[in-house]
Amino acid sequence: MTYNNFNTFLNDVYNEIKYLEKPILLKYTEKISCDLNQIANNISNELKIIYMHFPNKKCYLGIEDSISLKANSKKELNNLKNNTYKIISNTNNKLLFFGGASFNLEKEMTSIWKDVPKSNFIVPKILISKNNNKTKLTYIKKINKNTTKQSILKEFAYYVNIINNKKIKAEKYVIPDIKPILEKPTYQQYINNINKIINDIKYSSLEKVVISRISQYLLTKKISISNLMSYLNKNHPNCFNYIISFDKNKYFIGSTPEKIIQLNNLSFNIDAIAGSSSNEKDIQNNKEIEEHNFVTKYIKKKMESISSKLIIPTKPKILNLNYIYHLYTEVSGKTKNAQHVLDLLIKLYPTPALLGKPYKDALEKVDKYETFNRGWYGGCIGLYDEKGNGEFYVPIRSGLIKNKNIYLYTGSGIVLKSKAEKEWKETELKLQHLLSYFKKN
């Protein structure tokens, strides 16, 4: 990476914006040779990061933010697409917005989620992107006529020094021990809640409710972000792996196989994942198939009116995550007209895979039986670009790290044929997705 190239670009920018009236985005991109894990190791805990590793091996690491967009409702989330920016750039790569939203945007963030925004999307100040073994650095800065060239050069040099610093060697990292602190609800409460929900389904129009639980553990020390990144990518390469720091003491982490929506111009892909078992034969029983069908029917209902082409296979595949099996249907198609990925996201989430059916009735049961805040668990995380394309996933198999506490979320879909004990065992199994990181080899 050369300062000369950036300096030349900056000179051209300042010649162009002598009489600038409104702020603009300065965007400079250059190919680099670096190790993302090394960069993550170099980053101070004081710096905010956002990390996303997609199943297609596309990977992003954002540091700090130049733009931060918050939303407190689905309407506000949808309005984010209306933000436009004048950009001066040395390349034609698109402006990317990274972030996500909570499970219920109409509900206040409380308890461990206090001070975390309901929804937040950022344009990172520094973005390291890796795709097809090519790595690029993009520096993005919002400037106005009062922004001095010297201040930009100083800031750019600061981040480049962090990225290029090979003197910081990662010591042999010892993964922290964890101590169980709290289960909410307890085993017996969870069993009782499931049986009550089954009874509610039996005597009402309710068809399915996804009920979750939270497990709190105490960490003996802070988690290494670079070490966790490596672990998730190595052990769950077919999942969307992510780390978001809300501040130096709060990280939302996770690894999920469930894609809500991917949109590229008119073409879209959606993953229907519902039905779980530790046994490949059991995954194909009537209860799991019924649970899965709720999701595929929901997607069809939401997408068929806006699609010129909609492909939903009649028989689901089996997704093997090594420790658990899921029923999986890949839905694909084309929209009749141009859509923004945020439009489709809002139509789809939260799906019956994380909420239940019918929507309002299931949400009432979630609010009744869950005495904690889901926060971003079961919400959406991903990215979109200035053209309206993007990719979003459901943050299941997720947890919030707050100081030296880690709160892991898991849930199960309850239908009429559910068995409470089996559903508890299923949640225990799902916890292993992240808990296995703490097991010493």
Side-chain angles (χ1 to χ4, degrees):
M1 187 183 306
T2 60
Y3 292 100
N4 290 336
N5 290 344
F6 180 66
N7 198 23
T8 301
F9 166 70
L10 209 53
N11 286 333
D12 293 339
V13 170
Y14 269 79
N15 287 332
E16 187 175 337
I17 63 168
K18 286 179 181 177
Y19 307 104
L20 180 69
E21 291 299 324
K22 294 182 179 180
I24 63 161
L25 283 183
L26 178 151
K27 185 158 75 74
Y28 175 79
T29 301
E30 185 175 331
K31 290 181 181 178
I32 61 172
S33 176
C34 71
D35 183 335
L36 279 180
N37 283 339
Q38 175 66 43
I39 295 172
N41 187 59
N42 291 352
I43 294 172
S44 162
N45 287 336
E46 303 295 320
L47 298 178
K48 288 200 298 184
I49 68 161
I50 190 162
Y51 173 79
M52 296 182 182
H53 189 282
F54 291 81
N56 60 9
K57 311 306 179 190
K58 184 172 59 178
C59 183
Y60 299 95
L61 174 63
I63 306 171
E64 295 295 318
D65 55 75
S66 284
I67 295 173
S68 179
L69 305 171
K70 292 178 172 57
N72 291 307
S73 66
K74 280 197 170 185
K75 183 178 179 180
E76 287 183 16
L77 178 60
N78 195 34
N79 286 340
L80 295 186
K81 67 186 181 186
N82 299 325
N83 289 284
T84 58
Y85 304 90
K86 179 174 174 54
I87 302 167
I88 297 180
S89 176
N90 68 324
T91 63
N92 60 1
N93 58 326
K94 296 181 180 71
L95 188 66
L96 298 177
F97 298 79
F98 299 84
S102 60
F103 168 75
N104 186 353
L105 275 174
E106 311 308 319
K107 190 173 185 177
E108 290 303 311
M109 302 289 267
T110 58
S111 185
I112 61 172
W113 293 95
K114 191 177 179 181
D115 301 325
V116 173
K118 291 183 185 179
S119 174
N120 191 31
F121 284 86
I122 69 162
V123 174
K125 190 166 285 186
I126 294 290
L127 178 63
I128 312 294
S129 55
K130 187 174 182 180
N131 194 11
N132 296 324
N133 294 320
K134 293 180 182 178
T135 306
K136 295 179 181 179
L137 175 141
T138 300
Y139 170 74
I140 303 169
K141 176 79 171 178
K142 193 174 184 179
I143 64 172
N144 57 42
K145 60 184 178 182
N146 297 319
T147 309
T148 67
K149 187 165 65 173
Q150 192 57 39
S151 68
I152 296 173
L153 286 169
K154 184 178 179 180
E155 183 176 73
F156 183 74
Y158 168 74
Y159 287 112
V160 168
N161 285 337
I162 292 174
I163 292 163
N164 286 340
N165 192 349
K166 293 185 173 64
K167 293 180 181 178
I168 301 177
K169 292 185 178 179
E171 298 178 3
K172 187 172 181 181
Y173 180 70
V174 178
I175 296 170
D177 291 319
I178 58 172
K179 177 184 176 183
I181 299 295
L182 181 68
E183 294 283 358
K184 198 171 185 179
T186 64
Y187 164 78
Q188 194 56 56
Q189 287 170 337
Y190 196 72
I191 295 294
N192 292 343
N193 288 346
I194 291 173
N195 286 326
K196 288 176 184 177
I197 290 169
I198 292 171
N199 194 60
D200 290 338
I201 293 171
K202 190 174 182 179
Y203 296 105
S204 73
S205 60
L206 195 64
E207 296 180 75
K208 176 184 175 182
V209 177
V210 178
I211 195 79
S212 67
R213 47 182 283 238
I214 184 170
S215 302
Q216 180 184 355
Y217 301 86
L218 181 66
L219 301 167
T220 54
K221 64 177 181 178
K222 285 191 173 183
I223 288 177
S224 161
I225 295 301
S226 60
N227 190 271
L228 179 58
M229 282 164 44
S230 297
Y231 174 84
L232 291 176
N233 296 335
K234 179 181 178 181
N235 290 275
H236 304 294
N238 297 319
C239 289
F240 170 68
N241 303 320
Y242 59 89
I243 300 170
I244 300 174
S245 61
F246 299 113
D247 60 43
K248 65 180 180 179
N249 295 316
K250 291 193 197 81
Y251 291 83
F252 188 49
I253 64 168
S255 176
T256 173
E258 189 167 353
K259 184 195 301 171
I260 306 175
I261 182 70
Q262 180 181 22
L263 179 68
N264 185 16
N265 298 320
L266 299 179
S267 298
F268 64 83
N269 290 88
I270 301 167
D271 290 346
I273 297 179
S276 313
S277 178
S278 59
N279 187 298
E280 188 173 359
K281 291 181 180 178
D282 288 347
I283 193 65
Q284 299 183 68
N285 66 34
N286 290 338
K287 181 267 174 184
E288 306 303 339
I289 291 173
E290 180 185 3
E291 186 182 343
H292 184 79
N293 287 342
F294 282 133
V295 181
T296 54
K297 288 176 182 177
Y298 171 86
I299 293 171
K300 181 181 180 182
K301 183 179 178 180
K302 290 290 184 179
M303 297 301 294
E304 61 184 349
S305 65
I306 63 169
S307 300
S308 61
K309 180 181 180 182
L310 184 61
I311 301 171
I312 304 178
T314 55
K315 188 177 180 180
K317 297 178 181 178
I318 296 176
L319 177 65
N320 182 0
L321 292 181
N322 297 323
Y323 68 98
I324 196 171
Y325 295 92
H326 292 294
L327 290 178
Y328 159 72
T329 298
E330 183 179 10
V331 179
S332 60
K334 287 192 173 183
T335 58
K336 293 176 183 176
N337 305 302
Q339 299 276 343
H340 195 289
V341 71
L342 290 181
D343 291 324
L344 303 185
L345 177 69
I346 288 166
K347 282 178 75 72
L348 292 167
Y349 112 96
T351 73
L354 267 296
L355 174 57
K357 185 185 177 186
Y359 184 101
K360 288 184 179 179
D361 294 342
L363 191 58
E364 283 180 6
K365 297 301 178 185
V366 168
D367 287 340
K368 177 180 178 180
Y369 291 110
E370 293 184 6
T371 57
F372 52 87
N373 198 308
R374 285 194 184 186
W376 283 39
Y377 165 72
C380 59
I381 290 182
L383 64 84
Y384 66 92
D385 66 29
E386 57 192 317
K387 301 297 182 183
N389 297 315
E391 189 169 355
F392 285 88
Y393 286 75
V394 186
I396 54 177
R397 315 295 192 273
S398 62
L400 180 70
I401 300 173
K402 189 175 181 182
N403 298 312
K404 287 189 177 181
N405 288 283
I406 181 168
Y407 304 84
L408 299 181
Y409 286 82
T410 185
S412 56
I414 311 304
V415 296
L416 187 59
K417 295 176 183 177
S418 292
K419 303 295 181 185
E421 181 65 32
K422 184 178 182 296
E423 298 298 338
W424 171 268
K425 288 179 180 177
E426 182 182 305
T427 60
E428 287 286 281
L429 196 61
K430 290 173 179 176
L431 281 173
Q432 298 311 307
H433 195 106
L434 290 180
L435 275 182
S436 58
Y437 170 72
F438 299 95
K439 293 181 179 178
K440 305 296 186 293
N441 295 324

